[in-house]
Amino acid sequence: MEKRHIITVLVLHKPSVLQRISGLFARRWFNISSITVGITENPDIARMTIVVKGDDTHLEQVLKQLNKLVEVVKVKDLKHNNYVERELCIVKIHAPTESGKSQITQYANIFRGSIVDLSAETITVEITGDESKINAFLDLVRPLGIKEVARTGLTALMRGSKILKSNKK
């Protein structure tokens, strides 16, 4: 049975590591829903957050393969942990009238979004949150006319004092 999995991977911050990891998922026929990468508190280590859908058996094989890669420092499937997840979405919405602009501004306020650009014909809104919040906002403004959407993909950290830490300094 396919499930959504959020995997956090600490890797060496070097060229081609992303390619090796995404290639590993591709060889195992896992479609990556989103992948984010960024540097950590240690400049030699990067954190990847990978969202995939698949069954537990196949995912376990992928996690074992990930752990074998030299560039991988730590791997954690967040399914057994409480975690905080966020995604950034920037959406440009058709708004040629003042009433349309007013309506979009109200929606942005309700969803705690920010107006980041305004033109005679469009409003661009930045919104952060979990996937369902962003999808709900997009569903709300879709009838007004979405011109363009950019989403970062999900990133996540475990809640509380639990950390995924490398032993490398």
Side-chain angles (χ1 to χ4, degrees):
M1 181 175 151
E2 283 201 357
K3 296 178 189 171
R4 177 179 177 244
H5 299 273
I6 300 172
I7 303 160
T8 296
V9 185
L10 296 180
V11 297
L12 298 179
H13 188 59
K14 292 182 172 179
S16 80
V17 173
L18 176 61
Q19 179 185 10
R20 289 189 55 144
I21 290 182
S22 63
L24 189 149
F25 279 87
R27 285 191 301 276
R28 300 288 178 181
W29 289 97
F30 267 94
N31 184 27
I32 296 174
S33 299
S34 79
I35 186 167
T36 58
V37 183
I39 198 162
T40 65
E41 68 283 356
N42 180 341
D44 298 327
I45 304 291
R47 176 185 297 268
M48 293 183 177
T49 304
I50 305 168
V51 180
V52 295
K53 288 184 179 170
D55 66 47
D56 290 341
T57 305
H58 283 106
L59 182 69
E60 188 176 319
Q61 291 300 315
V62 169
L63 296 178
K64 286 179 181 175
Q65 294 296 316
L66 277 173
N67 278 309
K68 291 180 181 176
L69 294 177
V70 173
E71 299 90 349
V72 171
V73 177
K74 290 257 182 169
V75 178
K76 184 103 178 162
D77 181 357
L78 295 180
K79 71 180 177 187
H80 299 297
N81 296 279
N82 288 327
Y83 56 91
V84 178
E85 66 177 74
R86 293 289 182 270
E87 181 176 354
L88 170 68
C89 175
I90 301 174
V91 56
K92 187 177 293 185
I93 307 157
H94 184 65
T97 65
E98 288 304 313
S99 67
K101 287 180 176 69
S102 175
Q103 188 176 12
I104 293 166
T105 301
Q106 288 176 350
Y107 292 159
N109 288 336
I110 291 168
F111 281 81
R112 297 184 188 162
S114 301
I115 308 291
V116 293
D117 189 46
L118 180 65
S119 74
E121 300 286 322
T122 62
I123 288 183
T124 302
V125 176
E126 170 191 290
I127 185 165
T128 58
D130 63 21
E131 188 176 25
S132 66
K133 176 184 174 183
I134 291 172
N135 288 339
F137 182 77
L138 293 175
D139 288 344
L140 196 60
V141 298
R142 186 166 284 114
L144 301 170
I146 293 175
K147 295 289 207 181
E148 195 170 21
V149 174
R151 296 175 78 151
T152 60
L154 187 136
T155 190
L157 282 178
M158 290 182 280
R159 287 188 179 271
S161 60
K162 287 184 177 179
I163 58 172
L164 187 66
K165 188 169 182 140
S166 72
N167 296 328
K168 303 204 182 248
K169 301 227 176 193

